């Protein structure tokens, strides 16, 4: 599993607030072009994000399923983008003092053609994409107001 980490200068509650708002995913997840719908109760286990990924007019519609949710600690998703395949994505949050959070983002292909074409170039592209995703998450989380 490819893992990228970043310390975000925001309390864990602010970072979690972004993860828990499914409508923001197209703002910070690189490759997600549009949120079509977010299930009620997101991010409870079994709920889904319905998204479009990739550039228009070649974008694909699919969904991401919550496999595990520990508020303010961990979110595990099964991200689908067929016909390319599926990936397991893990967000782990760890407080680093009162005003900073270490976020780990792990991703591994779980099914489909992408699972079988794994190589150094793909790993490098995935690493850079996830690094940029965390940069965008950081920008939004630092501007969030802490939930009351």
């Amino acid at each position: 599993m490819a893992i990228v980490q970043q310390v975000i200068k925001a309390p864990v509650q602010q970072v979690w607030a972004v993860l828990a708002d499914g409508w923001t995913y197209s703002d910070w997840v690189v490759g997600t072009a549009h949120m079509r719908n977010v299930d009620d109760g997101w991010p409870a286990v079994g709920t889904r994000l319905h998204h479009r990924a990739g550039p228009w007019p070649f974008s694909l519609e699919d969904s991401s399923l919550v496999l595990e949710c520990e508020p303010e600690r961990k979110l595990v998703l099964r991200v689908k983008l067929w016909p390319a395949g599926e990936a397991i994505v893990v967000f782990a949050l760890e407080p680093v003092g009162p005003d900073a959070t270490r976020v780990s983002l792990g991703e591994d292909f779980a099914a489909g053609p992408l699972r079988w074409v794994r190589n150094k170039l793909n790993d490098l592209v995935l690493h850079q994409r996830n690094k940029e995703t965390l940069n965008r998450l950081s920008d939004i989380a630092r501007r969030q107001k802490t939930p009351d």
Side-chain angles (χ1 to χ4, degrees), residues 24-95:
T24 69
Y25 276 60
S26 61
D27 296 337
W28 57 272
V29 175
V30 174
T32 303
H34 175 73
M35 297 308 303
R36 296 179 296 117
N37 196 14
V38 177
D39 286 358
D40 290 340
W42 172 267
V45 172
T47 59
R48 294 180 188 271
L49 293 176
H50 305 273
H51 47 74
R52 183 175 296 131
W56 183 89
F58 306 107
S59 60
L60 302 170
E61 292 185 355
D62 221 322
S63 64
S64 297
L65 173 70
V66 177
L67 299 177
E68 187 178 336
C69 178
E70 297 176 41
E72 299 183 5
R73 295 185 48 89
K74 188 175 186 182
L75 183 63
V76 180
L77 306 174
R78 183 173 199 93
V79 178
K80 295 170 64 178
L81 192 59
W82 286 97
E86 299 179 9
I88 302 297
V89 178
V90 179
F91 294 95
L93 282 60
E94 176 187 352

Side-chain angles (χ1 to χ4, degrees), residues 117-130:
V117 296
R118 186 94 188 247
N119 59 40
K120 293 289 184 192
L121 180 59
N122 288 348
D123 287 349
L124 179 62
V125 170
L126 189 63
H127 178 83
Q128 292 303 318
R129 182 182 77 90
N130 288 344

